[in-house]
Amino acid sequence: KLSELELERRFSYHGRVWLGPDGLPRNPVGRTGMRGRGLLGKWGPNHAADAIVTRLFDGRVQMVAIKRKDTGEWAIPGGMVDPGEIVPETVKREFMEEASNVQDDGPGAAAHKAMVDELFANGFEIYRGYVDDPRNTDNAWMESSFVHFHASEKIGASFSLAAGDDAGEVCWLDIDEDNHNFRNLYASHKAMVLRAAARVKEGTDPAAAEPLRVLSKVTVAELPSCEGVPISFDARESGPRAISWVWQKPATLQFLRALDGGDPKNGSKDGKRDAIYLLSRPFTLDGPAREFDPAAHAHVALVLETEYRISSVHWARSGTKLGFVSERWRKNRRTRTWVLGEDQSSGKFSAHVLFDRSFEDAYTSPGHFEITVDENGLYETQGDAKSLEFDMIGAGASPVGNRPFYDKLAISRDDRGQLSFATKRMWRCALAPEADEAKVDPVQEVGGELPPVAKRAAIFESPTGVSPGGKWLLIKRESNDGPPNFFARRLADGREWQLSDIAHPQPSLIGTQSELVQYRRDDGVALSGELYLPAGYEPKRDGPRPCFLWAYPREFKAKQAAGQVQGAEHRFTRASASQPTMWVVKGWAVLRFSSPIVAEGDEEPNDTFVEQVQLNAKAAAEFLIGRGIGRMGGFAVGGHSYGAFMTAHLLAHTNYFNAGIARSGAYLRALTPFGFQAEERSFWESPETYHELSPFSHAPKIAKGRGKLLLLHGTNDENSGTYPMQSERLFDALKGHGAVCRLVLLPNEGHSYYARESVLHMLAEQENWLDKYVSEPFNASGAECEALPALPGDDKDGQLTASAVLEQPVPMRWVAGIAAFAFIGGVLIAHTARL
């Protein structure tokens, strides 16, 4: 550990070295997953200096590279800065020791020393600061200064290279992505060398630091206000939009333009609604934006016209001449991805469909392209520029739950420039031992066959990164009681190295039972949910428990998509202030249930929203009752934002719930008259929808119902659909009708709550509310049996079985080191009305 005196003497290129609570220095970039000093010599920053020596040889830029003895990787000559030494001295000394180890008394030693002195007389510092190094830990890290020295023609032709004690080999290495050794330079060395090479190619004197200067400024386009954009999810402004640089092409801008004037109600132009263009010098789009005609500009080139709205554009490394464009249309839930191939001679693009599917169909999702940063800090699609293989990662939704995957997309180009594609599955999350094999598609597995029983495991894995070239996969692995930890997996042989060892941060949740459950609602739509039960709880032995149900509605155009399984088995059980999971420590059952709203064909989801949330809630309650987990009189429901809106409706239109928790919701739809959530119609086009969909309109029903509503809202809610006035108006309406309700306003909080005081108070309010209106009545009712109330028009009698009384409730043990308390004086504004 560093003493205060030692800390004052140490320095970092990033400012002061900060100590953590354990007295150890804290990595300025963040956590690495490894604690301690590791393989580095010092706690905190370890300073190095590296010499990038380049030359021009037969028109190629080369660098001096050494082969490290410890890892076998090629690297820039360099080493640690000794105490009292300055960087210029270090780079020269380390270079001589590792790459130019000529005997002082040998022949030509004097001439060689003169060349070294001349070479190192002028240098340009490419970078200084934190560097990615495999030895970095949370408490010790590498910082380096990279200095560029360019050899003259004379020195470059005659300079003697000789490996020293720290280097296995030394050579002049071509700075070329096709060169295997250069492509795999040690740590972040390649990025630094490419910066130096760019200076050589530009003819920049390495010793001269040219300041950035603005030579000219051009107005690309005068764009009008977007106030006239139609009210529709697929509406866009009529002129050029999304103007940005194409970093993979020299001096080129790109922009999008709606061919239908930006209004989805207009007919498409020859079946096309959107287009992407490239813009070269002089970078100007003259004339009114709304009347812009690309054909009138010789420096504007059409790339692609699409049937739907363009949603994303990604370009691969410049040498590949490839790009990826995605389009989508919300009305029919279609999405399509194109591969663009640029002709080498004409510069024109050919387009080929890669994916064409419904974006709400999770089972057929191909995943997303990995995006990486090149040596200049610019974003590009990650892939191999030579083999044209690109990395894709997906959530892997399936009938047995999410099983993330990593694929390689291979693109082939024939002699005519036509493209073809092939996808190969490289890795997939382990299959759970209890998974139903009949629901697993072997085609989606690695090698095209089901994994053997020996390789199945009760874990959940997800890829968080792929190394360039796809040799290594960074995996996050977790289980029900095992927190996420990181592993490096070598795909060639499957060997793994554990990179982190994080202990369970919330021990009171250890043993919590979690299960991915599936059931159906009365109209046949399949539903799923994540069920959490207290440790050691057995329904047949212990009887029903109070149940906390939590959801966020989602709209779908197809019942098949709405019924797809959401979530995964064996996720780590964690407690979060925004979710109800922690209620299991009080002996409750918690169900995060799906709440789909299906509107097929030309139907609007809000025309049957109320009826469908009732069906979803009824199915969830009946499932819990059927499992012996819950019983009538012991249900609470809650949600945030759109989930709060659902909660208020369930208290108005059902009698299943004793209490409701509604946070940051919208309850008076007339306050959002130009559409809300999935609603495109305005208040004036469909006033009856706005009236029926407003819980405010049903305040008398909520007041007369079983459920008692707790409203919470941040006073600075920035969401235009959920201003604090929404909760205030509903509270006033409920209070006027004699309802038992409470409104809690959290000062200075937005749509979500972050301040410690706010979060703790929110938890305390929720616990007090549910204890009073659910736990206490549940215990007092004993084994009395009550039927599940029927929905309007539903004559089904959901008879309940007899149930036991819940044991004395345990005080809430707030996990993760937080303890709830009843009131923070002077911090919150609360209103209460009693019947």
Side-chain angles (χ1 to χ4, degrees):
K1 297 183 180 180
L2 293 178
S3 66
E4 290 296 326
L5 180 60
E6 289 175 315
L7 185 62
E8 290 179 4
R9 292 174 178 172
R10 300 295 297 279
F11 77 94
S12 166
Y13 290 137
H14 299 274
R16 177 180 175 182
V17 177
W18 294 94
L19 300 183
D22 54 4
L24 297 176
R26 291 190 298 183
N27 189 311
V29 175
R31 295 290 304 276
T32 65
M34 293 183 287
R35 292 175 290 187
R37 184 166 55 84
L39 298 177
L40 293 176
K42 299 176 182 178
W43 294 96
N46 290 255
H47 290 103
D50 299 275
I52 304 174
V53 177
T54 60
R55 74 173 182 179
L56 281 172
F57 183 77
D58 286 343
R60 308 190 307 274
V61 183
Q62 295 183 325
M63 62 170 286
V64 175
I66 63 163
K67 192 172 186 179
R68 296 174 62 104
K69 286 185 175 180
D70 54 353
T71 66
E73 295 172 280
W74 289 89
I76 302 170
M80 307 306 296
V81 179
D82 291 339
E85 194 174 38
I86 60 176
V87 168
E89 295 173 350
T90 303
V91 292
K92 185 176 180 180
R93 172 179 58 79
E94 288 289 341
F95 184 85
M96 294 286 289
E97 292 175 359
E98 294 184 341
S100 188
N101 190 22
V102 176
Q103 298 296 326
D104 291 341
D105 55 355
H112 179 74
K113 184 178 182 303
M115 279 194 292
V116 170
D117 291 341
E118 181 182 346
L119 175 63
F120 282 86
N122 293 300
F124 177 76
E125 188 174 63
I126 294 290
Y127 171 82
R128 72 159 59 182
Y130 182 96
V131 291
D132 286 328
D133 191 285
R135 297 168 293 180
N136 290 348
T137 72
D138 294 350
N139 313 112
W141 59 92
M142 289 295 301
E143 296 183 5
S144 187
S145 175
F146 292 85
V147 185
H148 178 212
F149 302 93
H150 185 63
S152 64
E153 183 177 355
K154 177 182 177 181
I155 293 177
S158 56
F159 196 82
S160 298
L161 298 179
D165 293 338
D166 294 340
E169 300 177 37
V170 62
C171 71
W172 286 102
L173 184 67
D174 284 349
I175 302 176
D176 188 344
E177 288 283 359
D178 290 335
N179 186 302
H180 174 81
N181 292 333
F182 173 76
R183 192 166 63 245
N184 294 280
L185 280 181
Y186 177 78
S188 57
H189 287 190
K190 185 178 79 169
M192 302 303 168
V193 173
L194 287 171
R195 291 189 185 187
R199 294 178 55 79
V200 175
K201 292 176 182 178
E202 293 168 3
T204 306
D205 179 3
E210 181 70 20
L212 180 66
R213 291 180 297 151
V214 178
L215 300 180
S216 62
K217 185 169 64 174
V218 176
T219 299
V220 177
E222 295 282 353
L223 301 179
S225 167
C226 293
E227 290 180 351
V229 174
I231 302 171
S232 174
F233 288 106
D234 295 311
R236 297 293 185 272
E237 54 267 42
S238 59
R241 69 179 195 275
I243 302 172
S244 62
W245 287 109
V246 180
W247 300 110
Q248 290 75 12
K249 294 178 70 66
T252 304
L253 289 169
Q254 68 180 18
F255 66 92
L256 308 179
R257 173 175 170 265
L259 302 178
D260 59 2
D263 190 346
K265 295 180 181 179
N266 293 338
S268 59
K269 177 187 175 184
D270 299 326
K272 307 297 182 181
R273 289 189 177 273
D274 232 10
I276 176 173
Y277 303 87
L278 296 183
L279 177 65
S280 55
R281 289 188 175 92
F283 306 120
T284 55
L285 298 174
D286 300 324
R290 299 189 195 280
E291 302 171 7
F292 170 73
D293 180 12
H297 296 76
H299 52 288
V300 174
L302 173 66
V303 176
L304 177 69
E305 292 182 341
T306 60
E307 182 181 357
Y308 309 134
R309 292 284 182 246
I310 295 175
S311 56
S312 68
V313 179
H314 297 296
W315 297 96
R317 182 171 286 271
S318 57
T320 65
K321 303 293 184 180
L322 293 175
F324 303 91
V325 175
S326 293
E327 56 174 318
R328 59 189 285 155
W329 195 251
R330 192 182 187 283
K331 196 71 173 177
N332 60 8
R333 304 300 198 270
R334 299 301 300 179
T335 182
R336 188 178 292 131
T337 299
W338 298 83
V339 179
L340 302 178
E342 185 179 8
D343 185 83
Q344 300 280 0
S345 55
S346 68
K348 294 184 178 180
F349 289 88
S350 59
H352 310 263
V353 175
L354 180 60
F355 307 118
D356 190 351
R357 49 181 292 274
S358 167
F359 61 74
E360 69 178 12
D361 184 359
Y363 290 174
T364 62
S365 172
H368 62 270
F369 288 102
E370 275 290 276
I371 304 300
T372 188
V373 179
D374 69 6
E375 59 275 6
N376 296 311
L378 306 175
Y379 292 100
E380 65 182 18
T381 307
Q382 179 168 300
D384 190 297
K386 193 171 184 179
S387 64
L388 298 185
E389 292 183 332
F390 296 89
D391 301 322
M392 301 192 72
I393 287 176
S398 77
V400 295
N402 290 354
R403 295 178 56 220
F405 61 81
Y406 160 51
D407 285 353
K408 270 190 177 296
L409 171 69
I411 300 178
S412 301
R413 183 187 276 121
D414 62 19
D415 296 338
R416 297 174 300 166
Q418 295 298 308
L419 303 180
S420 58
F421 321 105
T423 300
K424 182 179 180 181
R425 182 132 300 172
M426 307 299 296
W427 174 90
R428 193 168 194 187
C429 170
L431 184 65
E434 69 278 7
D436 184 353
E437 289 189 3
K439 297 181 178 180
V440 181
D441 182 4
V443 176
Q444 302 298 323
E445 303 301 315
V446 177
E449 57 185 22
L450 292 178
V453 175
K455 291 190 176 182
R456 303 182 188 184
I459 57 176
F460 178 80
E461 304 169 297
S462 56
T464 60
V466 184
S467 68
K471 294 182 179 179
W472 293 87
L473 192 63
L474 182 62
I475 297 173
K476 183 172 67 172
R477 181 175 297 152
E478 58 192 271
S479 62
N480 296 125
D481 284 333
N485 275 291
F486 292 90
F487 295 78
R489 181 182 181 90
R490 189 164 60 195
L491 292 174
D493 56 11
R495 289 191 62 190
E496 290 186 350
W497 285 261
Q498 185 167 350
L499 304 179
S500 66
D501 186 13
I502 301 171
H504 200 304
Q506 301 163 335
S508 58
L509 286 174
I510 293 177
T512 296
Q513 305 173 61
S514 64
E515 181 183 352
L516 181 63
V517 298
Q518 301 178 45
Y519 50 95
R520 290 184 180 274
R521 70 187 196 187
D522 289 348
D523 62 355
V525 174
L527 303 174
S528 61
E530 296 173 356
L531 176 64
Y532 300 90
L533 300 174
Y537 169 67
E538 175 57 48
K540 291 184 179 179
R541 181 192 65 207
D542 303 323
R545 296 291 176 116
C547 299
F548 197 179
L549 284 70
W550 193 270
Y552 187 95
R554 286 188 58 203
E555 292 84 9
F556 293 88
K557 293 299 292 182
K559 289 184 178 180
Q560 177 268 337
Q564 292 181 342
V565 176
Q566 301 177 27
E569 295 276 14
H570 307 301
R571 296 298 302 267
F572 175 58
T573 303
R574 68 183 75 224
S576 165
S578 63
Q579 298 294 330
T581 316
M582 64 183 70
W583 281 84
V584 295
V585 301
K586 285 179 68 73
W588 285 51
V590 176
L591 178 63
R592 294 171 56 183
F593 68 102
S594 59
S595 187
I597 310 299
V598 183
E600 296 184 310
D602 294 330
E603 295 177 358
E604 292 289 343
N606 284 326
D607 291 344
T608 56
F609 177 90
V610 173
E611 292 81 0
Q612 293 198 56
V613 293
Q614 292 178 68
L615 287 173
N616 297 331
K618 179 184 178 184
E622 286 183 337
F623 167 78
L624 293 170
I625 292 169
R627 286 274 297 264
I629 296 170
R631 67 174 172 83
M632 196 60 197
F635 291 122
V637 66
H640 187 94
S641 192
Y642 202 33
F645 172 70
M646 173 204 72
T647 297
H649 272 297
L650 289 176
L651 264 58
H653 300 289
T654 73
N655 262 332
Y656 304 157
F657 305 100
N658 276 32
I661 306 292
R663 301 195 311 236
S664 301
Y667 314 105
L668 179 54
R669 287 308 184 184
L671 295 177
T672 55
F674 291 101
F676 57 90
Q677 208 69 21
E679 184 57 64
E680 288 189 310
R681 297 167 295 185
S682 72
F683 171 84
W684 296 275
E685 292 174 288
S686 185
E688 65 283 352
T689 299
Y690 281 73
H691 173 78
E692 288 301 319
L693 265 290
S694 295
F696 178 88
S697 304
H698 307 290
K701 293 182 180 180
I702 299 177
K704 294 177 182 178
R706 174 195 295 268
K708 311 299 186 290
L709 185 60
L710 172 64
L711 297 162
L712 299 103
H713 220 118
T715 60
N716 289 359
D717 193 332
E718 73 286 0
N719 189 340
S720 60
T722 57
Y723 288 146
M725 181 188 296
Q726 294 276 359
S727 289
E728 294 170 339
R729 292 295 176 265
L730 179 60
F731 175 75
D732 290 341
L734 294 174
K735 182 179 178 182
H737 285 87
V740 178
C741 55
R742 182 173 176 84
L743 170 63
V744 178
L745 299 177
L746 304 174
N748 303 314
E749 294 291 355
H751 192 59
S752 299
Y753 321 139
Y754 296 100
R756 183 174 183 271
E757 294 85 352
S758 301
V759 171
L760 291 176
H761 194 89
M762 175 195 73
L763 295 174
E765 290 279 357
Q766 292 180 172
E767 183 179 20
N768 291 341
W769 196 259
L770 298 188
D771 278 348
K772 183 166 186 177
Y773 296 110
V774 181
S775 293
E776 293 176 10
F778 182 89
N779 288 327
S781 64
E784 295 179 4
C785 179
E786 183 182 348
L788 187 68
L791 295 178
D794 182 3
D795 57 1
K796 182 178 178 182
D797 231 357
Q799 190 65 28
L800 305 182
T801 57
S803 53
V805 182
L806 177 67
E807 296 175 3
Q808 188 65 26
V810 225
M812 177 70 79
R813 296 168 289 164
W814 295 120
V815 292
I818 53 177
F821 48 88
F823 186 73
I824 302 175
V827 176
L828 290 102
I829 309 165
H831 303 285
T832 306
R834 300 292 180 191
L835 182 62

